Amino acid sequence: MQSDRQSIWSERRLPRTQARDGDHRSPFQRDKARVLHSAAFRRLQAKTQVLGVGLSDFYRTRLTHSLEAAQIGTGITAQLQGKFPRLTEYVSLDPYLIETLCLAHDIGHPPFGHGGEIALHYMMHQHGGFEGNGQTFRIVTRLEPYTAEHGMNLSRRSVLGLVKYPNFIDTLTNQDIVPADDLRMRQVKAENWHPPKGLFRCDENLFDWLLAPLKPEERDAFMAFNQSAGKHGKTSHKSFDCSVMELADDIAYGIHDLEDAIVMGMVKRAEFSEELEKPLIELKVSWLSDAISKLGDRLFSIEQFERKNAIGALVNCFITAIRIEENPQFTHPLLCYQAVLPHHHSEALALFKQFVYRKVIRKPEVQLLEYKGQQVVMELFEAFSSDPTRLLPENTRSRWLQAEEQGNGHRVIADYISGMTDEFAARLYSNMFVPKRGGVLDTLSL
């Protein structure tokens, strides 16, 4: 991109006032440091990825998933720079930027995985809703105390790369499918309360700042969404950097989380052969369809190095297939280019993701844990919202009082609970609701 465009996208909402002697880092290197040293990033070590934290010391948490996504993201960047040198130079593709996005992409997700997200959306559906990606935007732009009022104060381009769904939850919500909300909390069905994926309306001023460099017609096109009958709206576009990050996230989820399922004994060789191997062979994906049978043998080998080699080969297959395509609907470089997988590779990765979803996430044992976490989060929310000035911690109480003046106090409660780790939320629940637990010393330790 031209230098004036680069400077616009390197801007921060709070201009840098104190230069540090000898600091020659790029804006994206500084952004990466702010993410790495944030409390929100550290909390990922104790948040559920697929399987509940604490059940084993082997499988992924949201932190290790994010680290693996970052490694894959830098690999994608190197591949694209090698295959499309002029184009990647034109859009200023930067490995530190992609690494930053991959490290930060999950920091808005609440405790207990999707169970926690369902719970918060249900409790917030009359107050703007809740969705993990929208909370990520809120953390980096407003909540993380790197600055007094501007969150991590990341560069504009980094923030743009984290916006996977560039529209607002209230716009995307299909009111025709929102069920009645006069339910006891234990009757809330997850399938009825999956949130539309988007931003919170209360953060609209931050989104306006983010998209200020775009022409009005390109901003409107960027925010376009599809509305299907019986579903919430789904946004249609994302930035070039975000497309790289999302591919890294999908590969990490589909391939690395499969390794967890195999090691934990949740997937058998026969299931892999019937439900994944055969469809992949029928797809006729270059190299992968011919190699998948041998890769399957290695994945289920008793020798750990065989499994690791197979996982690496699968990741490499998808990374090296990624290419850059142009969307003629846009003229701005950050919007008109997208990193994409060829059609058959995209279908193959979808098969891996669906297999993990069916064999791991939808297992009754995992769903029971999600449901349990869902109840914990809803109970905590109900308690805090019943008497916020009495029950909220002092700092959060001050924020609640300020927000309540604008009628937005519930958002502060959602901020507080979504930032909790699984263990913190569970201990807080126990201290609040379990008899003979939660003395003054126990509460002070939280």
Side-chain angles (χ1 to χ4, degrees):
M1 291 186 296
Q2 298 174 358
S3 58
D4 58 337
R5 281 183 173 175
Q6 289 186 41
S7 63
I8 290 173
W9 291 100
S10 296
E11 288 177 351
R12 307 173 190 273
R13 289 188 71 228
L14 181 64
R16 199 176 187 202
T17 56
Q18 293 182 337
R20 294 174 180 171
D21 291 342
D23 187 354
H24 301 294
R25 293 175 298 170
S26 71
F28 305 130
Q29 287 175 301
R30 289 197 291 272
D31 287 349
K32 176 187 171 184
R34 293 179 186 193
V35 170
L36 276 174
H37 295 292
S38 68
F41 181 73
R42 289 196 300 276
R43 291 189 187 106
L44 295 178
Q45 67 186 308
K47 287 192 177 186
T48 293
Q49 165 65 10
V50 172
L51 300 170
V53 172
L55 298 178
S56 167
D57 59 2
F58 173 81
Y59 55 74
R60 274 84 178 166
T61 64
R62 285 210 182 268
L63 179 67
T64 54
H65 162 76
S66 298
L67 292 170
E68 287 175 334
Q71 186 271 327
I72 292 170
T74 55
I76 295 172
T77 301
Q79 283 289 326
L80 294 179
Q81 287 174 330
K83 291 192 288 188
F84 305 93
R86 292 184 179 180
L87 186 52
T88 51
E89 183 177 1
Y90 175 62
V91 297
S92 302
L93 179 61
D94 186 286
Y96 289 106
L97 168 63
I98 300 303
E99 193 173 7
T100 299
L101 302 182
C102 293
L103 291 171
H105 78 281
D106 265 356
I107 60 174
H109 284 271
F112 307 113
H114 290 293
E117 185 176 56
I118 295 295
L120 284 175
H121 182 59
Y122 175 76
M123 302 304 287
M124 285 292 294
H125 74 277
Q126 293 183 342
H127 308 281
F130 181 89
E131 197 272 328
N133 296 283
Q135 190 68 15
T136 295
F137 179 80
R138 188 167 170 80
I139 288 171
V140 300
T141 59
R142 190 188 298 273
L143 298 179
E144 183 66 31
Y146 186 90
T147 62
E149 298 178 351
H150 302 294
M152 295 184 194
N153 196 34
L154 302 182
S155 62
R156 183 183 263 117
R157 183 165 175 176
S158 290
V159 177
L160 181 70
L162 288 169
V163 178
K164 295 170 70 172
Y165 311 105
N167 209 313
F168 299 98
I169 286 179
D170 56 358
T171 299
L172 299 168
T173 298
N174 182 350
Q175 294 296 340
D176 293 337
I177 64 171
V178 176
D181 60 358
D182 56 343
L183 300 170
R184 292 196 301 257
M185 288 187 293
R186 292 188 179 182
Q187 294 179 318
V188 173
K189 290 186 177 181
E191 64 188 38
N192 295 334
W193 291 99
H194 288 289
K197 294 183 180 296
L199 307 176
F200 309 141
R201 182 63 67 177
C202 59
D203 296 325
E204 186 172 9
N205 65 317
L206 303 172
F207 192 58
D208 289 340
W209 168 82
L210 175 64
L211 300 189
L214 299 179
K215 298 176 182 177
E217 60 272 20
E218 293 219 319
R219 172 194 163 117
D220 293 342
F222 183 55
M223 296 177 65
F225 62 94
N226 297 315
Q227 185 76 67
S228 302
K231 296 183 178 180
H232 292 303
K234 183 178 181 181
T235 56
S236 305
H237 305 291
K238 57 183 66 69
S239 71
F240 172 68
D241 303 318
C242 186
S243 71
V244 177
M245 176 267 283
E246 193 162 39
L247 284 171
D249 182 24
D250 286 347
I251 293 170
Y253 168 72
I255 306 303
H256 285 297
D257 287 359
L258 172 64
E259 180 184 14
D260 284 354
I262 292 171
V263 173
M264 298 294 290
M266 303 178 79
V267 175
K268 305 303 180 186
R269 180 68 177 91
E271 294 175 315
F272 181 90
S273 176
E274 184 65 28
E275 299 182 41
L276 191 55
E277 199 173 288
K278 286 184 178 179
L280 286 171
I281 292 172
E282 292 172 1
L283 270 181
K284 300 190 183 303
V285 184
S286 176
W287 180 83
L288 179 59
S289 294
D290 292 333
I292 190 60
S293 294
K294 291 183 179 179
L295 288 173
D297 292 338
R298 292 161 64 187
L299 285 170
F300 288 87
S301 170
I302 60 173
E303 299 290 350
Q304 292 188 32
F305 72 89
E306 292 280 13
R307 185 180 67 249
K308 284 295 183 185
N309 286 338
I311 291 292
L314 287 169
V315 170
N316 181 73
C317 169
F318 289 108
I319 288 178
T320 54
I322 294 171
R323 63 192 185 204
I324 298 176
E325 292 184 354
E326 185 173 356
N327 183 349
Q329 186 174 354
F330 297 100
T331 60
H332 195 288
L334 291 182
L335 303 185
C336 72
Y337 297 109
Q338 295 282 289
V340 298
L341 277 169
H343 178 68
H344 286 316
H345 283 83
S346 181
E347 288 188 329
L349 184 57
L351 286 172
F352 277 97
K353 292 169 61 181
Q354 291 160 9
F355 185 71
V356 171
Y357 180 78
R358 290 195 310 272
K359 295 301 177 183
V360 182
I361 295 176
R362 293 304 303 175
K363 269 191 177 296
E365 301 90 331
V366 175
Q367 286 302 303
L368 188 148
L369 290 174
E370 273 200 12
Y371 177 81
K372 183 179 179 181
Q374 178 180 315
Q375 299 306 310
V376 168
V377 169
M378 288 193 292
E379 293 274 10
L380 291 175
F381 195 103
E382 184 179 52
F384 287 124
S385 60
S386 71
D387 200 348
T389 57
R390 178 187 182 193
L391 298 175
L392 288 173
E394 188 172 348
N395 288 341
T396 308
R397 186 191 315 147
S398 299
R399 288 186 54 236
W400 182 87
L401 289 170
Q402 293 176 358
E404 189 65 7
E405 293 178 1
Q406 287 84 44
N408 202 28
H410 284 79
R411 180 60 63 192
V412 173
I413 297 174
D415 290 339
Y416 177 52
I417 295 176
S418 70
M420 296 178 183
T421 63
D422 295 20
E423 175 62 24
F424 184 95
R427 282 193 289 125
L428 181 58
Y429 176 90
S430 179
N431 285 349
M432 292 180 74
F433 301 117
V434 177
K436 297 185 179 180
R437 291 291 302 273
V440 173
L441 293 178
D442 290 331
T443 305
L444 288 174
S445 70
L446 286 169

